[in-house]
Amino acid sequence: MDALPLMACGQGADLLAGVTVLDLTTSVAGPYATMLLGDLGARVIKLERPQGDDARAWGPPFLEGESLWFLAVNRNKESLVLDQTKAEGRALFEALLAKADVLVTNQPPQVQRKLATDYASLSALKPDLIFTALTGFGLSGARAERACYDLIAEGYSGVMDLTGAAESGPQKVGTPAADLLAGQDAAMASIAALFAKERSGQGRLIDIALVESMTRFMACRILPYLGSGELPGRSGGTDSVIAIYQTFETADEPLTLGLGSDAIWKRFWQAVGQPARAEAEGEGSNAERRAKRADLVAEIQEVLLEQGRDSWLERFAAARVPAGPINRLDETTSDAALLERGLFYRLERGATQLPQVGLGIHLDGAAVQPRLPPPGLGEHTELLLQELLGYDQAKIAALKAAHVI
């Protein structure tokens, strides 16, 4: 981490400046959605139970006692601890709700109704509220009340059945893909609803399901099956519609190679010093190459074993042939080009330095700057009550004494 550039918090993006988000979420998907909104300029109030977000306890690994999973998805937020089960807590929640433009929750529908944090209850209090629910199976349907995590959503979607080598069992994707995809969908839909609200003044109910976001991610596998009836199986990524599009061994380290067009096919053979090979009969189109995939893969593999990975990558880059390394995380996070683009950095919070993965969006020629590091539990409770609701110290002290905040 010490090698990462130190970035100071600043003004950050202003695309959603003036928007206030009330964040009732825990774990990964919901917090990722609200972090995206915060990264783009919204003020995100992370409303936490006294015990905090579930992800605060996820570890090891911890960094000075804090979960690194939590730190990954909670930048640009202010944390306010509130016990909504008490009457004073409910009144405080409703006061905060009146200040919000968007509310994001990942509570199951039954819990929403029990706590009166469902859309029907809250839209009655604030008709122009954008209410974004992010659950495992959605707010309706036979599975709506079932518990769900990323792993379960990946299993439903089909991605685990297609991930891994042919001889392996089903494999989970190496990151919480369903969580991150659903979180991104929730942020995108919330922004679209904010845009529509500018014209109509109306609030909206947004219903995002982990299973559906993950399944939509499989569209380029599902549609070919639905259209052809051909059921794909695990292949270690060697059965792409593109021929050739997979990993290969070299004299030292493996690489990825994507020969996705007839022009690239010709440039590949020129790059490896065999320009005449590109003119072979019966290989001029992708369909023809697919029919000969096994033989072509064997031939290309033999060629690539002649030199090391970096030598080939230099040649392919010069020839505009898509290829790349297969990085470990230590190699990815030390990638000079990614560091130059501002994707990885450290933030200071007091005496602690926190690693971060940036938004990956550049505005006006620069990476988006963070405004706030991930918050400590309840770090902003007093500040928010003073700024948003005008509470004085006596009222705040009374709420503390009653264990509401």
Side-chain angles (χ1 to χ4, degrees), residues 223-297:
L223 264 71
Y225 160 68
L226 292 175
S228 70
E230 296 178 8
L231 187 64
R234 284 186 296 282
S235 71
T238 63
D239 66 337
S240 170
V241 68
I242 300 172
I244 302 299
Y245 193 84
Q246 63 180 72
T247 63
F248 287 93
E249 297 297 325
T250 72
D252 47 26
E253 300 289 337
L255 55 74
T256 56
L257 182 66
L259 308 182
S261 72
D262 298 343
I264 293 174
W265 173 253
K266 292 181 179 180
R267 294 203 298 270
F268 167 78
W269 288 110
Q270 293 166 353
V272 299
Q274 300 183 37
R277 177 66 186 77
E279 307 301 330
E281 290 290 330
E283 298 172 2
S285 72
N286 187 71
E288 290 174 311
R289 292 191 291 274
R290 283 194 67 187
K292 296 183 176 182
R293 189 201 302 269
D295 291 339
L296 293 176
V297 165

Side-chain angles (χ1 to χ4, degrees), residues 145-160:
E145 300 296 345
R146 294 188 186 182
C148 187
Y149 277 118
D150 173 89
L151 172 67
I152 286 76
E154 288 192 34
Y156 271 99
S157 74
V159 70
M160 290 178 66

Side-chain angles (χ1 to χ4, degrees), residues 299-367:
E299 183 179 358
I300 291 171
Q301 179 61 89
E302 185 176 351
V303 170
L304 294 181
L305 287 172
E306 295 174 359
Q307 295 186 30
R309 180 193 67 183
D310 291 347
S311 175
W312 285 125
L313 291 181
E314 185 176 348
R315 284 196 189 196
F316 293 151
R320 293 186 298 115
V321 172
I326 302 172
N327 284 338
R328 301 182 308 270
L329 290 184
D330 60 321
E331 295 170 317
T332 298
T333 54
S334 61
D335 185 297
L338 295 179
L339 289 166
E340 182 183 5
R341 293 270 295 175
L343 189 59
F344 308 117
Y345 55 84
R346 293 172 293 152
L347 288 179
E348 286 186 330
R349 192 187 66 196
T352 303
Q353 293 190 349
L354 311 176
Q356 291 288 286
V357 178
L359 180 60
I361 295 174
H362 286 232
L363 295 176
D364 302 322

Side-chain angles (χ1 to χ4, degrees), residues 18-23 42-45 80 91-103 122 125-126 128-130 194 197 384-391:
V19 172
T20 299
V21 177
L22 201 55
D23 178 6
R43 184 176 198 177
V44 179
I45 301 170
L80 186 153
L92 180 49
F93 168 74
E94 292 184 4
L96 292 168
L97 179 70
K99 302 288 186 179
D101 302 289
V102 179
L103 179 141
L122 299 187
L125 297 172
K126 187 176 176 60
D128 65 345
L129 178 68
I130 293 169
L194 284 166
K197 181 180 172 181
L384 287 165
L385 295 183
Q386 291 169 348
E387 285 191 2
L388 287 181
L389 304 181
Y391 287 11

Side-chain angles (χ1 to χ4, degrees), residues 66-247:
E66 290 192 85
S67 164
L68 284 154
W69 277 73
F70 175 86
L71 295 175
V73 291
N74 283 285
R75 177 178 61 240
N76 285 330
K77 302 179 187 180
E78 298 167 275
S79 172
L80 186 153
V81 168
L82 177 64
D83 185 350
Q84 294 183 58
T85 64
K86 298 182 178 180
E88 301 98 324
R90 177 66 186 191
L92 180 49
F93 168 74
E94 292 184 4
L96 292 168
L97 179 70
K99 302 288 186 179
D101 302 289
V102 179
L103 179 141
V104 185
T105 180
N106 64 349
Q107 297 166 330
Q110 187 176 16
V111 174
Q112 292 179 29
R113 292 190 294 271
K114 178 182 177 181
L115 298 178
T117 55
D118 58 301
Y119 178 68
S121 300
L122 299 187
S123 62
L125 297 172
K126 187 176 176 60
D128 65 345
L129 178 68
I130 293 169
F131 180 98
T132 302
L134 209 168
T135 61
F137 300 96
L139 298 178
S140 61
R143 299 189 184 115
E145 300 296 345
R146 294 188 186 182
C148 187
Y149 277 118
D150 173 89
L151 172 67
I152 286 76
E154 288 192 34
Y156 271 99
S157 74
V159 70
M160 290 178 66
D161 185 59
L162 293 180
T163 301
E167 64 274 12
S168 75
Q171 293 186 20
K172 188 191 175 306
V173 178
T175 189
D179 280 336
L180 300 181
L181 288 165
Q184 186 164 302
D185 284 350
M188 176 179 65
S190 298
I191 293 168
L194 284 166
F195 184 75
K197 181 180 172 181
E198 288 293 314
R199 300 191 304 270
S200 69
Q202 296 179 352
R204 305 299 282 263
L205 168 60
I206 296 169
D207 180 1
I208 305 291
L210 265 68
V211 170
E212 292 168 20
S213 290
M214 189 71 237
T215 303
R216 192 197 74 243
F217 182 71
M218 298 293 292
C220 289
R221 297 298 247 165
I222 291 172
L223 264 71
Y225 160 68
L226 292 175
S228 70
E230 296 178 8
L231 187 64
R234 284 186 296 282
S235 71
T238 63
D239 66 337
S240 170
V241 68
I242 300 172
I244 302 299
Y245 193 84
Q246 63 180 72
T247 63

